[in-house]
């Protein structure tokens, strides 16, 4: 969670660090700081609570003339949000930034008798002091000893007072990528900070020490031997990480969905059929499994819920969906005949990664759906299907959800073909329907959702309910999450038939109910459920297909999507639900892209 950047090179370090922190801010934004060597090779640290923009103001000309430094934007775990808990931490000759959690920091504090030295409440400062104890002029040896003490996850960037121009880094689980560019050497938590400077990078291998100077980057294993990391290409451009005229990243990313869908689907179509040859995914993983287990968190898990409702009726094998943070501590009923599908936009979510590792230990075959190339989950899975959404910067996931669904739909289709549940012509028709969902998304993006009076109604309410049946219920889970996380309006998603088993007690005059009714086989049942809440005074926003028969006056607002096969309505529905949440957040004047308490990438438990 936290964003890390380090730079050494010929350019002004201050600018590079601050710009990098702005790019990484979506990883955490409760405080920020930088540490740098000044022109006299003395280390300075400036850090404070608040966002990077505030730090920029505070710094103004500080850091001028510096050519080496490290920067951090924090999402608090150990210790509250305060200036002193912000990074970098200084300890003797050490200046350190950290992303991750040191689980045994309390024991280490006692073992190294650090209580009286600590200024902050963070686990990170403990690491800084231990490093200072170990440091006798040999940076690598001190870092190795530190790594041996720590239980937990970490990405550290470190400067030593007597080594101007040098940055050292090491990671375990928490991500770090690095690149040597004509503008100097850079290291960061993720690619968004590197994009302006380079097209090639490497993922810092776990348990390796990286040494950065102004003219080169060297990587060493824990035996001190130099190793050559695998270089990778960045296929995102600078524009992808800019707002490009949109007021918020979220709105831009909503608009990017049709393109992201095409980029994810079209390269995997051959003769009208799904084809994963270029991804190196063999058909035997689909043919040989007797059950599917999908594991993910948050929005990615909701994509899995849609896939379950889609796959089971077609494939006629059990499809289970688990929340990764639960799954990792269970004894899951999976084995070598289980295909475990892991879904993660970032490819770094710690619980999802742990679930992947657990699945492998049970002998299951693992296929991950990941957006960030080279991320840990992608590298550790048996097979990976990359989604091509480009960088998703807004904390609220939008385009990543759509492309995760697109990937899952393609997997379902390939699997049905391989297992004989679909004929070639059925598979081809399925993909045609999937492609037809793209213009339907475009239609919904262009409808003026914000001009309907629902947003005015929503923003004055404390609670809302989403309801649907079958696939529509799966869609509503994501709609409720979107509204909660960026508008702070309490929202619950219910299987519509379940509402009257308790929750309907909460429906009173004007409580908004967003009813999704796109599934024809349960349409009349849904309409009855809508009548039940309407009879209790609810303010109903009804979402149906274009030609659905719904009585005038049944809903306060009725939004119609283009007529699609029932299995594909999620795509335009997702757009509407995202826009409802977006305009509710804007209507309440909230920070749409960086909602309170959240961070984009959850790399701590
Ligand atoms: O990077 P991941 O897909 O693994 O992230 C999982 C969740 O943290 C994420 O989907 C989160 O729920 C969304 N950002 C919410 O919009």
């Amino acid at each position: 969670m936290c964003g890390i950047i380090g730079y050494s090179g010929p350019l002004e370090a201050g600018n590079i660090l601050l710009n990098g922190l702005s790019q990484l801010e979506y990883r955490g934004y409760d405080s920020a700081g930088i540490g740098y060597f000044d022109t006299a090779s003395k280390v300075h640290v400036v850090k404070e609570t608040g966002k990077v923009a505030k730090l920029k103001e505070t710094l103004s000309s500080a850091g001028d003339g510096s050519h080496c430094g490290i920067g951090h934007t924090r999402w608090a775990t150990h210790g509250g949000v305060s200036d002193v808990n912000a990074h970098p931490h200084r300890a003797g000759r050490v200046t350190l930034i950290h992303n991750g959690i040191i689980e045994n920091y309390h024991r280490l504090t006692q073992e190294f008798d650090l209580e009286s030295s600590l200024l902050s409440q963070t686990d990170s400062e403990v690491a800084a002091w231990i490093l200072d104890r170990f440091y006798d002029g040999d940076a690598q040896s001190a870092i190795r000893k530190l790594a041996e003490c720590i239980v937990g996850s970490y990405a550290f960037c470190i400067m030593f007072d007597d080594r101007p121009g040098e940055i050292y880094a090491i990671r375990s689980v928490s991500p770090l990528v690095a690149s040597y560019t004509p503008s100097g050497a850079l290291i960061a938590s993720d690619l968004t900070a590197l994009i302006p400077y380079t097209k090639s990078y490497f993922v810092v291998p776990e348990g390796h020490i990286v040494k950065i100077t102004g003219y080169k980057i060297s990587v060493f294993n824990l035996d001190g031997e130099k190793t050559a990391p695998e270089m990778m290409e960045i296929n995102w451009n600078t524009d992808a990480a800019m707002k490009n005229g949109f007021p918020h990243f979220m709105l831009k990313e909503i608009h990017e969905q049709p393109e992201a869908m095409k980029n994810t689907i079209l390269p995997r179509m051959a003769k009208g059929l799904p084809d994963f040859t270029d991804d190196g995914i063999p058909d035997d993983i689909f043919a040989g499994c007797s059950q599917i287990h999908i594991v993910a968190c948050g929005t990615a898990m909701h994509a899995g819920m849609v896939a379950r409702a889609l796959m089971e009726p077609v494939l006629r094998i059990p499809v289970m969906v688990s929340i990764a943070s639960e799954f990792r501590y269970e004894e899951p009923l999976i084995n070598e005949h289980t295909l475990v599908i892991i879904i993660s936009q970032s490819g770094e979510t710690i619980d999802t990664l742990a679930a992947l590792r657990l699945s492998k230990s049970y002998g299951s075959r693992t296929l991950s759906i990941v957006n960030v190339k080279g991320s840990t989950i992608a590298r550790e899975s048996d097979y990976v299907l990359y989604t091509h959404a480009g960088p998703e910067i807004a904390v609220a996931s939008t385009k990543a959800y759509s492309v995760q669904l697109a990937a899952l739909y393609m997997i379902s289709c390939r699997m049905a073909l391989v297992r004989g549940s679909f004929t070639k012509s059925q598979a081809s028709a399925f993909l045609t329907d999937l492609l037809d969902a793209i213009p339907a998304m475009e239609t919904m993006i262009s409808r003026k959702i914000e001009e309907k009076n629902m947003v005015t109604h929503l923003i004055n309410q404390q609670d809302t309910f989403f309801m649907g049946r079958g696939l529509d219920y799966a869609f509503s889970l994501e709609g409720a999450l979107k509204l909660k996380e960026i508008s702070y309006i309490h929202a619950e998603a219910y299987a519509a038939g379940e509402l009257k088993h308790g929750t309907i007690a909460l429906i009173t005059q004007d409580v908004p109910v967003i009813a999704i009714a796109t599934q024809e086989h349960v349409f009349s049942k849904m309409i009855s459920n809508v009548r039940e809440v309407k009879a209790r005074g609810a303010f109903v926003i009804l979402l149906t297909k274009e030609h659905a028969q719904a009585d005038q006056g049944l809903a306060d607002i009725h939004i119609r999507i283009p007529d699609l096969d029932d299995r594909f309505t999620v795509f335009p529905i997702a757009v509407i639900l995202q826009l409802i949440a977006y305009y509710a957040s804007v209507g309440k004047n909230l920070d749409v892209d960086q909602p309170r308490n959240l961070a984009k990438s959850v790399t701590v438990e």
Side-chain angles (χ1 to χ4, degrees):
M1 315 270 288
C2 302
I4 280 183
I5 182 155
Y7 171 77
S8 185
L11 305 181
E12 288 273 348
N15 287 338
I16 293 188
L17 296 177
L18 289 172
N19 292 340
L21 288 182
S22 300
Q23 298 287 341
L24 293 168
E25 195 167 28
Y26 70 115
R27 299 181 64 89
Y29 34 83
D30 57 46
S31 48
I34 65 167
Y36 57 91
F37 287 101
D38 69 11
T39 45
S41 297
K42 190 170 176 305
V43 173
H44 293 265
V45 166
V46 184
K47 58 181 188 175
E48 61 182 22
T49 54
K51 296 204 169 182
V52 176
K54 185 165 161 250
L55 181 71
K56 279 185 180 168
E57 277 170 29
T58 304
L59 273 165
S60 77
S61 61
D64 280 4
S66 170
H67 294 287
C68 177
I70 54 181
H72 187 269
T73 175
R74 180 171 188 245
W75 186 85
T77 56
H78 290 55
V81 178
S82 65
D83 289 354
V84 77
N85 286 340
H87 299 216
H89 291 286
R90 287 276 295 156
R93 296 150 297 169
V94 167
T95 306
L96 171 145
I97 53 177
H98 170 220
N99 172 27
I101 287 189
I102 300 170
E103 290 169 14
N104 58 340
Y105 82 103
H106 193 60
R107 189 180 60 71
L108 292 172
T109 306
Q110 290 166 341
E111 196 177 311
F112 287 82
D113 195 18
L114 296 174
E115 204 68 67
S116 58
S117 309
L118 295 174
L119 298 175
S120 76
Q121 291 82 49
T122 65
D123 51 344
S124 316
E125 193 192 352
V126 173
W129 280 109
I130 295 173
L131 194 57
D132 184 59
R133 293 273 173 91
F134 286 141
Y135 185 56
D136 60 3
D138 182 343
Q140 289 199 46
S141 155
I143 294 169
R144 269 196 300 273
K145 288 180 189 156
L146 172 69
E148 280 164 19
C149 298
I150 291 179
V151 177
S153 59
Y154 52 83
F156 292 123
C157 279
I158 304 148
M159 300 191 309
F160 295 93
D161 284 4
D162 57 346
R163 296 186 160 273
E166 293 180 8
I167 298 168
Y168 290 83
I170 187 167
R171 70 180 274 266
S172 173
V173 184
S174 305
L176 274 180
V177 290
S179 179
Y180 182 73
T181 80
S183 313
L186 286 135
I187 187 159
S189 298
D190 68 49
L191 291 181
T192 49
L194 302 188
I195 296 174
Y197 308 97
T198 184
K199 282 274 174 212
S200 82
Y201 71 102
F202 66 89
V203 176
V204 172
E206 288 204 31
H208 284 62
I209 295 173
V210 179
K211 178 182 176 184
I212 292 178
T213 65
Y215 53 92
K216 75 169 174 198
I217 301 185
S218 313
V219 181
F220 301 89
N221 65 23
L222 291 182
D223 294 326
E225 295 157 347
K226 222 172 182 179
T227 62
E230 184 194 340
M231 296 307 294
M232 306 179 87
E233 287 300 302
I234 302 177
N235 54 5
W236 297 345
N237 58 31
T238 320
D239 274 9
M242 314 285 274
K243 285 190 197 148
N244 290 348
F246 285 92
H248 300 101
F249 278 111
M250 183 179 176
L251 190 60
K252 174 184 174 244
E253 288 161 7
I254 290 171
H255 278 72
E256 285 172 345
Q257 290 181 105
E259 197 56 33
M261 292 277 290
K262 286 180 209 156
N263 292 342
T264 301
I265 299 168
L266 295 178
R268 288 159 178 141
M269 280 181 72
K271 298 188 182 147
L273 297 172
D275 185 323
F276 301 136
T277 313
D278 290 349
D279 300 289
I281 301 172
D283 279 342
D284 71 297
I285 64 163
F286 301 135
C289 71
S290 58
Q291 59 161 328
I292 297 173
H293 210 119
I294 301 174
V295 193
C297 298
T299 294
M301 190 271 292
H302 291 158
M305 294 291 283
V306 175
R308 193 197 70 78
L310 174 85
M311 284 173 162
E312 265 189 351
V314 176
L315 300 173
R316 307 306 301 162
I317 55 172
V319 181
M320 276 146 291
V321 183
S322 289
I323 295 168
S325 54
E326 292 293 312
F327 179 90
R328 64 179 293 188
Y329 294 113
E330 288 166 355
E331 290 177 28
L333 291 173
I334 57 172
N335 55 39
E336 63 276 21
H337 304 298
T338 311
L339 174 63
V340 174
I341 301 180
I342 299 282
I343 313 171
S344 176
Q345 187 284 129
S346 60
E348 301 293 350
T349 301
I350 191 100
D351 289 320
T352 313
L353 175 61
L356 166 68
R357 290 176 175 167
L358 182 71
S359 306
K360 290 178 82 170
S361 75
Y362 273 68
S364 300
R365 306 188 75 182
T366 55
L367 166 61
S368 65
I369 297 173
V370 172
N371 194 42
V372 178
K373 206 171 152 190
S375 55
T376 312
I377 290 175
R379 284 181 292 111
E380 292 195 15
S381 301
D382 295 326
Y383 305 100
V384 56
L385 193 67
Y386 282 113
T387 51
H388 298 306
E392 190 180 65
I393 307 291
V395 166
S397 197
T398 53
K399 60 178 179 174
Y401 174 69
S402 302
V403 294
Q404 283 161 357
L405 288 171
L408 287 160
Y409 273 58
M410 293 201 78
I411 290 170
S412 310
C413 186
R414 182 76 207 169
M415 213 160 163
L417 187 63
V418 169
R419 298 172 71 91
S421 312
F422 274 176
T423 61
K424 277 191 179 173
S425 69
Q426 283 173 314
S428 168
F430 183 93
L431 281 199
T432 305
D433 284 343
L434 179 59
L435 290 173
D436 284 348
I438 300 175
M441 294 173 94
E442 280 161 352
T443 304
M444 298 325 294
I445 289 170
S446 63
R447 294 241 174 114
K448 297 276 175 234
I449 302 280
E450 74 275 27
E451 288 176 7
K452 303 189 185 293
N453 68 351
M454 79 183 131
V455 171
T456 334
H457 190 85
L458 273 178
I459 62 177
N460 293 315
Q461 306 300 325
Q462 300 283 329
D463 301 295
T464 52
F465 293 91
F466 287 69
M467 64 178 189
R469 286 171 177 259
L471 272 165
D472 284 337
Y473 167 56
F475 311 163
S476 65
L477 293 166
E478 177 58 9
L481 175 62
K482 274 303 75 88
L483 189 65
K484 273 185 277 211
E485 69 178 326
I486 57 168
S487 76
Y488 315 151
I489 299 168
H490 172 234
E492 292 299 333
Y494 266 84
E498 183 64 13
L499 211 65
K500 57 184 159 306
H501 295 284
T503 311
I504 203 163
L506 296 171
I507 305 290
T508 54
Q509 192 70 34
D510 290 338
V511 167
V513 173
I514 298 167
I516 309 173
T518 69
Q519 302 298 300
E520 278 169 27
H521 68 296
V522 285
F523 183 77
S524 61
K525 307 288 174 204
M526 261 307 291
I527 295 303
S528 303
N529 297 138
V530 172
R531 288 190 207 290
E532 287 159 10
V533 292
K534 192 74 198 139
R536 284 150 184 92
F539 179 89
V540 173
I541 300 167
L542 178 64
L543 275 47
T544 69
K545 290 200 226 174
E546 195 72 55
H547 291 100
Q549 297 292 320
D551 297 347
Q552 280 278 330
L554 176 66
D556 296 277
I557 293 172
H558 187 170
I559 301 174
R560 294 177 184 273
I561 61 162
D563 287 327
L564 295 172
D565 178 283
D566 288 6
R567 290 172 295 186
F568 302 90
T569 54
V570 63
F571 296 98
I573 291 289
V575 171
I576 301 172
L577 299 180
Q578 292 159 0
L579 286 170
I580 289 176
Y582 173 79
Y583 285 112
S585 181
V586 171
K588 290 180 77 173
N589 216 5
L590 297 172
D591 190 338
V592 176
D593 287 335
Q594 295 177 345
R596 74 179 172 215
N597 302 342
L598 292 175
K600 182 73 179 165
S601 191
V602 184
T603 54
V604 294
E605 277 195 66

